[in-house]
Amino acid sequence: MFLDIDKKDNERPAALSYNGSRITYGELVKCINDIQSVIGTRKLVFIMCNNRIASLAGYVGMLGSKNVPLLLSSELDGELLQYLLKTYKPDHIWCPLDVKDNILPIIKGVFDNENVGKNIYKYDDFELLNCSDRKST
């Protein structure tokens, strides 16, 4: 597994946040396994990052499940996000709940299918949103 995190003590903290939140190696392993079971592998995923444990969990989850993360600021300008969505056509977006309402209209304006913006996985205060109508593998 990615970085051999499955060989670490499951209860041992893998990361600690400035506000006292933490994630254990066991939780990271679960996140990797959950993401892979939901979206498969080799998908392009935009990660709307901020300084939270869930950003790290999404990043490690994508790499560990053999997906391709593109790290973007959760405060990214809407026009730039729209341009990147049109250019790269990600399969999914990992985003904080507090910016979801701001980016959903942008996502729906770029992709034309009924599944756009649907939450397919949630971890802490982040959701994995669907952008594509392509099948997972």
Side-chain angles (χ1 to χ4, degrees):
M1 183 170 276
F2 180 67
L3 298 176
D4 289 331
I5 64 171
D6 58 329
K7 295 178 182 166
K8 310 279 186 196
D9 178 358
N10 282 343
E11 298 303 315
R12 185 173 169 204
L16 303 170
S17 170
Y18 66 92
N19 66 2
S21 61
R22 67 182 207 139
I23 188 167
T24 65
Y25 284 106
E27 290 169 325
L28 280 176
V29 168
K30 182 179 181 333
C31 189
I32 290 169
N33 291 334
D34 288 351
I35 288 171
Q36 188 165 1
S37 71
V38 170
I39 67 171
T41 61
R42 303 180 53 91
K43 304 292 187 304
L44 176 60
V45 181
F46 282 9
I47 298 180
M48 307 305 290
C49 297
N50 57 24
N51 196 19
R52 295 187 198 154
I53 291 289
S55 287
L56 173 68
Y59 179 66
V60 172
M62 297 309 156
L63 288 177
S65 61
K66 297 183 175 98
N67 285 289
V68 182
L70 176 63
L71 304 176
L72 302 168
S73 171
S74 64
E75 298 174 6
L76 188 68
D77 174 72
E79 287 183 25
L80 180 54
L81 177 59
Q82 183 179 31
Y83 173 79
L84 293 171
L85 288 167
K86 286 179 179 179
T87 302
Y88 295 102
K89 298 176 178 51
D91 297 285
H92 305 285
I93 297 179
W94 181 254
C95 81
L97 293 174
D98 58 357
V99 301
K100 178 181 174 183
D101 290 341
N102 296 333
I103 68 169
L104 270 177
I106 298 168
I107 298 169
K108 289 181 178 187
V110 172
F111 298 99
D112 184 28
N113 76 68
E114 68 216 34
N115 293 320
V116 168
K118 289 190 177 173
N119 170 24
I120 57 174
Y121 178 72
K122 184 174 189 276
Y123 177 85
D124 196 26
D125 59 348
F126 272 64
E127 287 186 354
L128 184 61
L129 305 176
N130 196 40
C131 290
S132 173
D133 58 359
R134 292 176 272 201
K135 301 279 187 211
S136 295
T137 57

